[in-house]
Amino acid sequence: MWWLLSFASAALLGCYDSFKKISLKDNAVIPVLFFNTLISTVLLLPLLIRTGFGSWEVQRWIVLKSAIVLSSWLAGYYAMKHLPLTLVGPINATRPVLVLLGAVLLFGERLNLLQSIGVGLAILAYFLMRISGKKEGIVFHRNKWIFCLIFAVLMGAVSGLYDKYLMSPDSGLGLDRLQVLSWFMFYQTLMMLPLLLFVWMPRREQSTPFRWQWSIPLISVFLVSADFLYFQALSQPGALIAVISMIRRGSAVVSFLIGAFFLKEQNIKSKAFDLALLLLSMVFLYLGSR
C-alpha cells in the first residue's frame, strides 16, 4: 500500500510545483510563501487540534523539522521563480539519491533488483534532463538560482531522512505522523511572519510587488494533500524511505507536462527521451514494490 500512496503523493506534488511556478511569476517570493504556510496551517487546523500539543520534548523535534523544511522552501521558491519548471524538477530529483545513500547508511535499508534498476534509470533520466536544460543558456556553475536549488535539494534530503527518524517506531522516535504534519506547518507560519514583517515589508517598494492570485491557495491544497499521503506511506510497515523519495520525484512528470503544454517552455523535444526513461524507471519501482 505504501507504494500506491507514494505515487498518488507524487502526482499531487507535481500539481503543487506547477501552481507554485504560476504563483511566483512576476510576484514577490516571501508573501507567496507566507500565505502558502498560513493557508496550509488553516487546512490542517482540525488535525492540529485533534493531535494536541503533547509535550515540549516532542514539539522541539518538530520545530527543528520546521526550520529544515523552511530553509529548503525559501531557497527552492527563489529558484522556482527564476528557473524553468522543466529544469527545476530534474534537479530536484537528485534528492532521492542523497536520501538513498543516507537511508542505506543510517537505517540499513536494502533494495531488491527491480527497485535498484528503477533507481538507476531514474538517476540517469534526471542526469540527461539536466544536460538538456543547459541548452536554455543556463550555466550551472555561474547561476545563483541553481545554487539556491542545490541548497534546497540538500535540505530536502536532510528533511526526508529526519522524517524517518521522527516517525519510525523501530529506529526513531515513533512520533504521530499527523501531529508532525500539522504542527510543523504551524511553526513554519510563525517563522515566516517575522520574515514578512521585518525583511520583505520594509523593502517592498524596491522589490517585486506582491499580487494575490487564485493559484496561491491551490499551492496549499495540493501540498497538504501530497504531504498527508507521504506521511501515510512513510508509516506503513516495510516502507522504504529511499524508494518513497524516488517515487515522489516522479512529480517531475506532472510538472514537466504542465511546463511543456501550458507554460510553453523551451527544448521540450530534446527532453522527451529523458521523460520516457523516467517513466520506465517508475515502472520498475512499481514492479519491485509489489
Side-chain angles (χ1 to χ4, degrees):
M1 177 63 71
W2 60 266
W3 54 265
L4 184 59
L5 293 171
S6 301
F7 275 106
S9 178
L12 293 172
L13 203 60
C15 296
Y16 156 72
D17 282 336
S18 301
F19 283 111
K20 185 166 60 177
K21 178 66 175 178
I22 293 170
S23 300
L24 290 170
K25 180 177 175 57
D26 300 322
N27 213 349
V29 171
I30 290 179
V32 171
L33 180 51
F34 170 75
F35 281 111
N36 174 204
T37 58
L38 178 61
I39 295 171
S40 297
T41 300
V42 172
L43 291 174
L44 291 169
L45 192 58
L47 286 181
L48 189 144
I49 295 173
R50 196 187 90 181
T51 57
F53 183 81
S55 67
W56 176 244
E57 294 299 316
V58 169
Q59 292 295 325
R60 64 179 183 176
W61 296 105
I62 302 177
V63 170
L64 178 57
K65 173 177 172 58
S66 301
I68 293 171
V69 173
L70 188 58
S71 65
S72 176
W73 282 9
L74 270 172
Y77 268 57
Y78 276 103
M80 178 69 80
K81 177 179 178 177
H82 294 94
L83 296 173
L85 184 59
T86 48
L87 180 61
V88 172
I91 297 179
N92 261 330
T94 58
R95 183 184 308 179
V97 179
L98 300 175
V99 173
L100 172 61
L101 294 175
V104 170
L105 292 174
L106 298 177
F107 304 118
E109 293 188 359
R110 295 292 183 271
L111 305 178
N112 60 40
L113 178 59
L114 291 176
Q115 290 170 339
S116 299
I117 293 173
V119 169
L121 288 174
I123 293 172
L124 177 59
Y126 287 132
F127 177 73
L128 293 176
M129 290 179 79
R130 290 179 63 182
I131 295 176
S132 299
K134 292 182 180 180
K135 297 179 181 179
E136 299 183 39
I138 299 174
V139 181
F140 280 35
H141 63 279
R142 296 179 183 174
N143 191 299
K144 63 181 179 180
W145 308 120
I146 292 291
F147 286 109
C148 281
L149 187 54
I150 291 173
F151 177 79
V153 169
L154 289 172
M155 296 308 294
V158 171
S159 175
L161 292 170
Y162 190 57
D163 286 343
K164 183 69 173 180
Y165 173 71
L166 286 180
M167 286 168 282
S168 173
D170 301 321
S171 56
L173 300 176
L175 301 185
D176 184 344
R177 62 187 180 275
L178 298 181
Q179 185 181 37
V180 173
L181 173 61
S182 56
W183 281 95
F184 103 83
M185 194 67 70
F186 170 76
Y187 288 127
Q188 281 195 119
T189 304
L190 294 184
M191 294 174 185
M192 280 301 303
L193 188 58
L195 287 177
L196 180 73
L197 296 178
F198 304 117
V199 176
W200 179 75
M201 287 287 288
R203 303 175 53 199
R204 66 186 184 280
E205 300 297 334
Q206 292 79 40
S207 61
T208 305
F210 171 68
R211 297 178 295 103
W212 176 261
Q213 299 187 97
W214 62 270
S215 55
I216 292 177
L218 291 178
I219 299 175
S220 302
V221 170
F222 283 104
L223 172 63
V224 169
S225 301
D227 275 357
F228 180 80
L229 294 182
Y230 165 64
F231 281 113
Q232 291 281 7
L234 205 60
S235 64
Q236 295 289 311
L240 298 177
I241 179 63
V243 177
I244 290 175
S245 297
M246 180 62 72
I247 292 175
R248 290 245 302 174
R249 290 306 100 199
S251 62
V253 176
V254 177
S255 59
F256 182 94
L257 293 174
I258 292 176
F261 293 104
F262 293 97
L263 302 182
K264 307 298 182 182
E265 294 187 353
Q266 302 174 3
N267 298 316
I268 299 305
K269 289 184 179 180
S270 67
K271 297 173 184 175
F273 175 79
D274 312 338
L275 181 60
L277 195 60
L278 175 62
L279 292 174
L280 181 60
S281 74
M282 295 297 107
V283 173
F284 276 96
L285 286 176
Y286 164 75
L287 293 175
S289 302
R290 293 181 63 181

